[in-house]
């Protein structure tokens, strides 16, 4: 029966294709017919199914070839995923038949997450349905951009080209709205039941001269292989074996060689590979690669644990405790800000908290809704924060370390992809200089304060551009100077003309900018000055790090004004440029702003006048810094 068995294609890794679509649009029928027409089915399989149907008094259906579970036949729906090897004369495939019913979206996602490309089945009579849109969006969410659209049941619309074009326009418009490149999307009219345009061109649709489904699959491009990606080796466990300590796991991407210097994240420990261990290895292993489950021993005994990501030091994953997740939510209870869950990423488990729901996607209308909860089966962009750092890669850089699942009470309630747009790599490189020693000053801090008549300190003003930080800082500086304070303003624009002139506005440069300013402000404060800073300083972690440098003198002041108010002010015209795309990574527009969770003071500049805000600040300074005036 099998007509394809060329040895030349046996060594080529199979292309994984997921079959998705609305329930009853004909996915399993299409796969069954495709297997039959290509001669993939074992001899006698069709005959056995026909006999079974006759015995039960049921009409034969191609879908029965795939339905592995008796329950599926009873209910007439596919409730689990099936993976079946399949091949054409061109190459090998793994077909993943995923369920289309709304209640089984989790299974569909499980199947699609493993795929390199997708076949989206659409009923020519019904066109795009809710689940069709949801599945298409999930394909986009999972980074699958090669899509073959099989418009099934063309016999039910009398094989009319007009209907094919009409539904085709619906599909193209929706996919284009998702940002999917239509150059990689093929649209094929088929009748799965009768085999029209599955493997053989249909004589009933002479107006169609495109590829058959088989030809379209053969034209799909192979994905970037895991071998082409940087080394990512999640630690599964550490075993003590005779006198060796073996770090075991599966290499998800890249290569690993004996003698490589490995970096463990997030612990940032390093060691060299002393040996590579594997079961039944008759010869010493010099190198291994993605897909292999192995163990390694190191040249020194460092403590590492399950969940760490092993990489080469030259190309490590990002470290962060805050990230944006593009998620699909499956929990029975809505996801809400402040909720805490367990996140699993590779072999690691982390406690995370929902910090903010940025938007919820309406897959029907493709609109974003600003609501503060995510209902079951909804798709959303959510900012999560963890108490400790996590080693991650943005999904588009590495799918293995760029996706995660969310667990609540041992149940999977969601999954998503890592998006680090606007967030910096927090990998701490530590102090590079050596042989340095800290020297203590001989003038006690209290004597400086007594001589000045006020305490030194830092009023760290943070807020959106246009909130009024610089206006208030310079006004307060002038006011306090006239009253005898040693006071100085460190302004965001000013320091970028000197101290930080070599930095841009990327997330990493923003982190470095605040680090430098934080240390400069601390030196001023230790000298007895009252330092007023005016920096957007959008990341909470950056501000917390400055606080950690000098917790006794640091005061966080949130200069608060909502984004529309700031855009209305726009004193430098920056928001207009950002909206036009002329400024990248602009806080509030294309980059995040994380407001203080518990600032020492909050000034609402949208509600109060400048004079009223100054009065509040003056009172705060008098309460917290004044001793006796000279």
């Amino acid at each position: 029966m099998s007509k394809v068995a060329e040895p030349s294609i046996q060594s080529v890794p199979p292309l994984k294709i997921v079959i998705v679509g609305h329930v009853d649009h004909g996915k399993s029928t299409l796969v069954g017919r495709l297997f039959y027409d290509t001669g993939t089915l074992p001899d006698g399989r069709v005959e056995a199914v026909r006999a079974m149907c006759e015995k039960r008094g049921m009409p034969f259906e191609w879908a029965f070839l795939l339905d592995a579970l008796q329950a599926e036949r009873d209910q007439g729906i596919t409730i689990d995923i099936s993976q079946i090897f399949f091949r054409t004369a061109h190459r090998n495939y793994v077909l993943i038949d995923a369920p289309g019913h709304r209640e089984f979206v989790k299974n569909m996602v499980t199947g699609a997450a493993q795929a390199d490309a997708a076949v989206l089945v659409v009923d020519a009579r019904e066109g795009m349905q809710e689940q069709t849109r949801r599945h298409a969006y999930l394909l986009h969410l999972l980074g699958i951009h090669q899509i073959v659209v099989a418009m099934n049941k063309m016999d039910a619309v009398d094989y009319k080209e007009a209907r094919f074009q009409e539904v085709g326009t619906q599909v193209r418009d929706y996919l284009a709205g998702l940002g999917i490149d239509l150059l990689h999307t093929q649209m094929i009219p088929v009748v799965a039941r009768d085999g029209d345009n599955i493997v053989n061109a249909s004589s009933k649709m002479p107006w169609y001269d495109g590829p058959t489904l088989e030809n379209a699959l053969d034209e799909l491009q192979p994905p970037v292989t895991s071998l082409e990606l940087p080394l990512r080796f999640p630690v599964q466990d550490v075993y003590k074996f005779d006198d060796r300590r073996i770090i075991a796991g599966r290499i998800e991407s890249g290569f690993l060689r004996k003698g490589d210097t490995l970096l463990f994240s997030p612990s940032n420990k390093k060691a060299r590979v002393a040996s590579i261990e594997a079961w039944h290895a008759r010869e010493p292993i010099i190198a291994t690669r993605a897909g292999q489950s192995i163990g390694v021993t190191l040249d020194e005994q460092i403590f590492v644990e399950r969940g760490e990501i092993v990489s080469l030091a030259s190309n490590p994953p990002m470290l962060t405790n805050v990230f944006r997740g593009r998620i699909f939510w499956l929990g029975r209870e809505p996801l809400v800000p402040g909720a805490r869950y367990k996140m699993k990423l590779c072999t690691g488990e982390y406690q995370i908290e929902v910090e903010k729901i940025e938007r919820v996607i309406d897959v029907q209308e493709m609109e974003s809704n600003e609501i503060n909860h995510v209902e079951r089966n909804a798709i959303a962009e959510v900012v999560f924060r963890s108490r400790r750092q996590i080693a991650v890669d943005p999904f588009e850089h590495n799918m293995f370390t760029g996706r995660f699942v969310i667990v609540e009470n041992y149940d999977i309630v969601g999954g998503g992809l890592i998006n680090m747009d606007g967030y910096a790599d927090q990998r701490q490189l530590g102090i590079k200089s050596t042989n340095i020693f800290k020297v203590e000053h001989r003038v006690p801090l209290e004597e400086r304060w007594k001589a000045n008549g006020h305490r030194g300190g830092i009023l760290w003003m943070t807020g959106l551009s246009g909130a009024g930080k610089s206006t208030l800082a310079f006004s307060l500086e002038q006011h306090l100077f006239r009253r005898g304070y040693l006071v100085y303003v460190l302004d965001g624009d000013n320091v970028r003309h000197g101290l930080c002139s070599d930095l841009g506005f990327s997330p990493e440069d923003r982190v470095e900018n605040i680090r430098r300013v934080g240390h400069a402000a601390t030196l001023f404060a230790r000298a007895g000055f009252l330092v007023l800073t005016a920096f957007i300083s959008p990341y909470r972690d950056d501000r917390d790090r400055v606080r950690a440098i000098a917790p006794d003198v640091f005061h966080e002041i949130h200069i608060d004004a909502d984004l529309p108010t700031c855009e209305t002010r726009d004193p430098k015209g920056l928001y207009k440029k950002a909206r036009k795309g002329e400024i990248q990574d602009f806080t509030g527009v294309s980059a995040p702003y994380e407001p203080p969770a518990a600032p020492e003071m909050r000034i609402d500049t949208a509600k109060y006048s400048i004079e009223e805000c100054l009065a509040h600040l003056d009172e705060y300074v008098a309460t917290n810094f004044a001793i006796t005036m000279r």
Side-chain angles (χ1 to χ4, degrees):
M1 183 91 183
S2 176
K3 71 177 183 180
V4 182
E6 289 80 355
S8 60
I9 66 170
Q10 299 306 311
S11 59
V12 179
L15 190 73
K16 296 180 180 178
I17 300 173
V18 64
I19 310 291
V20 298
H22 194 79
V23 65
D24 290 336
H25 279 201
K27 297 180 299 299
S28 296
T29 300
L30 182 140
V31 175
R33 186 72 201 209
L34 178 65
F35 279 21
Y36 177 76
D37 285 359
T38 54
T40 301
L41 294 171
D43 290 342
R45 178 70 178 270
V46 174
E47 289 71 17
V49 173
R50 289 188 189 279
M52 180 274 295
C53 292
E54 291 177 2
K55 182 178 180 181
R56 297 188 177 188
M58 301 166 58
F60 172 80
E61 294 187 18
W62 293 105
F64 291 161
L65 292 168
L66 301 180
D67 291 342
L69 302 175
Q70 183 66 37
E72 297 180 52
R73 297 176 189 171
D74 293 341
Q75 298 179 30
I77 57 174
T78 304
I79 62 174
D80 207 340
I81 59 171
S82 302
Q83 295 193 31
I84 310 109
F85 290 94
F86 158 73
R87 61 178 181 263
T88 67
H90 182 69
R91 65 178 161 203
N92 295 315
Y93 295 90
V94 173
L95 281 182
I96 305 166
D97 181 25
H101 198 277
R102 181 186 178 92
E103 295 303 316
F104 306 122
V105 171
K106 183 190 297 187
N107 304 52
M108 178 267 161
V109 172
T110 303
Q114 309 167 49
D116 306 312
V119 174
L120 178 64
V121 182
V122 181
D123 189 318
R125 297 171 303 176
E126 299 183 356
M128 294 285 281
Q129 298 296 301
E130 179 188 355
Q131 282 300 90
T132 317
R133 292 183 170 88
R134 192 179 304 276
H135 285 188
Y137 194 92
L138 288 172
L139 294 177
H140 166 65
L141 191 70
L142 294 169
I144 300 172
H145 298 298
Q146 292 191 99
I147 300 176
V148 176
V149 179
M151 197 176 301
N152 193 22
K153 304 183 184 181
M154 286 297 297
D155 56 317
V157 295
D158 297 328
Y159 306 99
K160 289 182 178 178
E161 181 183 8
R163 181 57 182 167
F164 173 72
Q165 296 297 346
E166 182 182 0
V167 177
T169 300
Q170 291 179 13
V171 178
R172 287 192 186 90
D173 289 348
Y174 189 82
L175 296 180
L178 295 176
I180 293 176
D181 185 355
L182 296 182
L183 290 175
H184 301 295
T185 302
Q186 187 67 253
M187 202 88 58
I188 305 170
V190 303
V191 180
R193 185 195 61 196
D194 301 334
D196 291 270
N197 287 333
I198 301 297
V199 169
N200 302 308
S202 174
S203 60
K204 299 167 186 171
M205 292 175 275
W207 45 265
Y208 177 74
D209 58 359
T212 64
L213 178 61
E214 180 191 36
N215 296 146
L217 296 180
D218 285 344
E219 291 172 4
L220 294 172
Q221 296 298 313
V224 174
T225 70
S226 55
L227 299 178
E228 299 174 75
L229 298 172
L231 173 66
R232 296 293 183 263
F233 173 36
V235 176
Q236 183 173 340
D237 215 332
V238 181
Y239 298 101
K240 192 74 180 297
F241 193 79
D242 50 51
D243 60 343
R244 294 171 295 172
R245 196 161 178 266
I246 300 177
I247 298 169
R250 170 189 161 91
I251 299 177
E252 296 294 353
S253 63
F255 292 87
L256 186 152
R257 300 173 179 81
K258 182 181 178 182
D260 280 345
T261 298
L262 303 181
L263 173 66
F264 293 79
S265 298
S267 68
N268 275 323
K269 295 176 181 175
K270 291 182 181 178
R272 290 167 63 90
V273 178
S275 69
I276 301 174
E277 310 287 338
W279 290 106
H280 306 304
R282 297 180 178 178
E283 302 291 337
I285 301 174
I286 305 301
T288 185
R289 62 180 187 174
Q292 302 293 316
S293 293
I294 52 101
V296 298
T297 63
L298 304 175
D299 65 342
E300 58 179 301
Q301 298 298 317
I302 61 174
F303 176 77
V304 296
E305 55 189 339
R306 176 184 171 88
E308 295 217 47
I309 303 292
V310 179
S311 69
L312 298 181
S314 58
N315 201 341
M318 298 177 74
L319 285 186
T320 187
N321 69 339
V322 58
F323 64 92
R324 181 181 294 107
R326 289 187 291 170
I327 68 159
F328 42 89
W329 185 244
L330 303 168
R332 295 186 182 280
E333 299 297 325
L335 177 142
V336 296
R340 296 179 180 178
Y341 302 98
K342 180 190 295 182
M343 181 184 85
K344 292 187 177 181
L345 190 152
C346 295
T347 57
E349 295 185 357
Y350 309 88
Q351 296 297 323
I352 58 172
E353 179 176 331
V354 179
E355 179 165 295
K356 180 181 180 182
I357 297 171
E358 293 192 321
R359 61 181 188 142
V360 178
I361 310 299
D362 184 334
V363 296
Q364 188 73 16
E365 303 297 334
M366 280 303 298
E367 293 179 348
S368 299
N369 299 314
E370 294 184 1
I371 55 179
N372 62 353
H373 65 277
V374 183
E375 297 285 355
R376 190 178 192 186
N377 291 325
I379 299 165
E381 291 193 355
V382 178
V383 176
F384 294 99
R385 187 176 292 272
S386 66
R387 291 186 176 181
R388 61 189 179 110
Q389 290 196 321
I390 307 171
V392 303
D393 283 301
F395 180 77
E396 60 267 27
H397 294 177
N398 193 316
M399 62 184 292
F400 302 103
T401 44
R403 61 188 177 197
F404 60 93
V405 297
I406 304 171
V407 178
E408 182 180 38
N409 298 329
Y410 305 103
D411 291 329
I412 294 176
V413 292
L417 311 181
I418 301 286
N419 177 359
M420 291 298 293
D421 289 350
Y423 290 103
D425 185 355
Q426 299 179 21
R427 185 175 296 277
Q428 298 300 303
L429 300 179
I431 299 175
K432 295 181 179 178
S433 303
T434 58
N435 297 321
I436 56 174
F437 304 94
K438 192 171 183 179
V439 180
E440 295 296 331
H441 288 270
R442 297 181 181 178
V443 180
L445 196 58
E446 291 73 14
E447 288 191 23
R448 294 181 190 271
W449 292 353
K450 187 176 179 180
N452 294 338
H454 65 84
R455 294 180 175 83
I458 303 170
L459 289 186
W460 189 278
M461 297 186 185
T462 174
L464 292 169
S465 178
K469 301 179 298 299
S470 294
T471 300
L472 290 174
F474 285 110
S475 298
L476 184 62
E477 179 192 40
Q478 184 181 39
H479 172 73
L480 294 176
F481 180 78
R482 289 172 177 169
R483 295 182 60 191
Y485 276 77
L486 286 177
V487 58
Y488 194 74
V489 173
L490 290 178
D491 178 74
D493 283 356
N494 289 350
V495 298
R496 283 184 177 272
H497 282 89
L499 177 65
C500 302
S501 60
D502 59 327
L503 301 176
F505 289 90
S506 69
E508 287 74 17
D509 281 354
R510 284 172 177 261
V511 170
E512 176 60 13
N513 183 54
I514 298 305
R515 188 192 70 81
R516 294 183 191 180
V517 172
H519 281 280
T522 302
L523 291 175
F524 267 94
R526 297 299 186 204
F529 277 75
L530 181 58
V531 185
L532 314 179
T533 73
F535 293 86
I536 295 173
S537 46
Y539 303 118
R540 188 182 300 169
D541 289 330
D542 294 347
R543 301 191 298 267
D544 289 345
R545 275 191 283 271
V546 177
R547 184 189 291 274
I549 296 171
D552 53 331
V553 297
F554 183 87
H555 297 248
E556 190 174 35
I557 312 295
H558 185 196
I559 307 301
D560 194 8
D562 57 81
L563 183 61
T565 299
C566 294
E567 289 205 60
T568 302
R569 294 170 179 167
D570 203 11
K572 302 171 186 175
L574 300 179
Y575 281 104
K576 290 181 180 176
K577 290 184 178 179
R579 293 295 183 190
K580 292 178 181 176
E582 297 175 4
I583 301 178
Q584 302 298 316
D585 298 322
F586 191 79
T587 302
V589 176
S590 52
Y593 176 74
E594 300 173 356
E600 274 73 13
M601 187 180 191
R602 176 177 172 272
I603 298 289
D604 188 344
T605 63
K607 182 177 181 181
Y608 298 106
S609 67
I610 293 177
E611 291 73 19
E612 290 172 318
C613 294
L614 276 175
H616 289 307
L617 287 167
D618 183 48
E619 182 182 353
Y620 185 84
V621 170
T623 302
N624 292 278
F625 294 94
I627 301 177
T628 56
M629 301 311 300
R630 291 175 296 181

